[in-house]
Amino acid sequence: MRTQVAIIGAGPAGLLLGQLLHKNGIDNVILERQTADYVLGRVRAGVIEQVTMDLLDEAGVGARMHQDGLIHDGVQICVDGVRHRLSFKELTGKSVMVYGQTEITKDLMDGRVAAVAPTVYSAQDVTLHDFFGDNPRVSYRAEGRGHEIACDFIAGCDGFHGISRKSVPPGLISAYERVYPLGWLGLLSDTPPVSEELIYVRHATGFALCSMRSPTRSRYYIQCSLAEDVEAWPDERFWEELKPRLDDEARDRLVTGPSIEKSIAPLRSFVAEPLRFGRLFLAGDAAHIVPPTGAKGLNLAASDVRYLSRALIEHYQEKSADGLEHYSARALARVWKAERFSWWMTMTLHRISDNPFDQKLQLAELDYLFRSPAAATAFAENYVGLPY
Ligand code: FAD
Ligand code: DHB
């Protein structure tokens, strides 16, 4: 088989890139290790930036998002039982949208089926070949047989544990990493959210987040140790751990109920540099991870895809290599700012250290954030998404 761009991974990065390329007449094939149902079953991101919404519109898959997504003009931060509100709208003129990654993935998958563009699910042993030469190839196994795709470019959109980044000779790639000694235990339930806006909670016993997917579906997270086993967390234990971290009003409004999903995610900051290796380009979680606190992971995947899709379109339509040559530097400039913001939010809101000095610094950071319009504006600018 031959295609122009072989895309590894059918997460948000791979599917969105595929859709944008297809819209511009560029052939592509997506190879995904898992089944479509497995990919759709992963409950992850909930908040998307305006620029991500714009890109989903550009890809022609934004209709359901505009119908069902919830526009949020601000966010709330609760510090040891006292809630504060930061208005994005007043500080930046912008908003974010609450619309689940599961729904975005579904919209992108439906768009791909409608475009009759090829996706191979359950592709095993995906292997990248010759991407430093002019004729890269990707081989894989499906339905018991070996297959090979010849292509012009390979897009590595296969997440943090994927094969693309690992295919790069070690001496050519630099990794920058910080692992936090904690995770998030998340619970999804068909209960009304405690608040119309998200509440990020800083509490002496640990971080919590009250989020949502719709007016009838809530998503909650609590900070947990990395050693936790989700099996040790029956729903009742989760609710009992969450309650004392909330303010009185939120606690009164909390409606508990059976979980639909519960999972633990470790917190990590990671960046691989550069993002281009000959004819291989890395995008999204394959290249970088942020701790979830700033709600930036999916948004960064979309921002890489924006740069990469434009670069590939420029290559095919204008015969210009400029975008491809600058892809890595342009994408990384935005990535590092989101890394900084996500690290800052993580360090400011979690119980990471038992040193009272560190805890006093967190409180000083937050007090400054609530009192200084400059600090609040800097926060809001980052949360709604920095301009390209
Ligand atoms: P992925 O979604 O990981 O997709 C990669 C795909 O590649 C997967 O389908 C995988 O199966 C496939 N794959 C892997 N290896 C191979 C292989 N060898 N061959 C073929 N296919 C392969 N981000 C936000 O922006 N906002 C939020 O509010 C937010 N909240 C989050 C909450 C949690 C609890 C978590 C865990 C994450 C959150 N994120 C958030 C981050 C966001 O979910 C990720 O950044 C996003 O999924 C990245 O998309 P991706 O396509 O790059 O990678
Ligand atoms: C959600 C996840 C996040 O990481 C975040 O910062 C906000 C919301 C969510 O899943 O709803």
Side-chain angles (χ1 to χ4, degrees), residues 86 91 366-378:
L86 293 161
L91 293 160
L366 289 162
D367 194 40
Y368 179 54
L369 174 65
F370 304 138
R371 284 171 192 271
S372 157
T377 306

Side-chain angles (χ1 to χ4, degrees), residues 8-15 31-34 38-39 42-48 101 123 126 157-164 184 200 213 219 221 263 265-266 283-286 288-290 292 294-301:
I8 320 294
L15 287 167
L31 299 177
E32 164 62 50
R33 182 168 57 182
Q34 307 287 355
Y38 181 94
V39 172
R42 291 187 299 223
V43 179
R44 288 177 164 182
V47 177
I48 56 173
Q101 177 164 337
V126 171
C157 301
D158 46 353
F160 184 65
H161 299 288
I163 192 65
S164 301
W184 277 18
Y200 285 88
R213 290 292 176 272
R219 179 72 165 159
Y221 297 97
S263 52
D285 278 15
H288 40 74
I289 294 286
V290 285
K296 288 284 165 254
L298 169 61
N299 290 302
L300 274 189

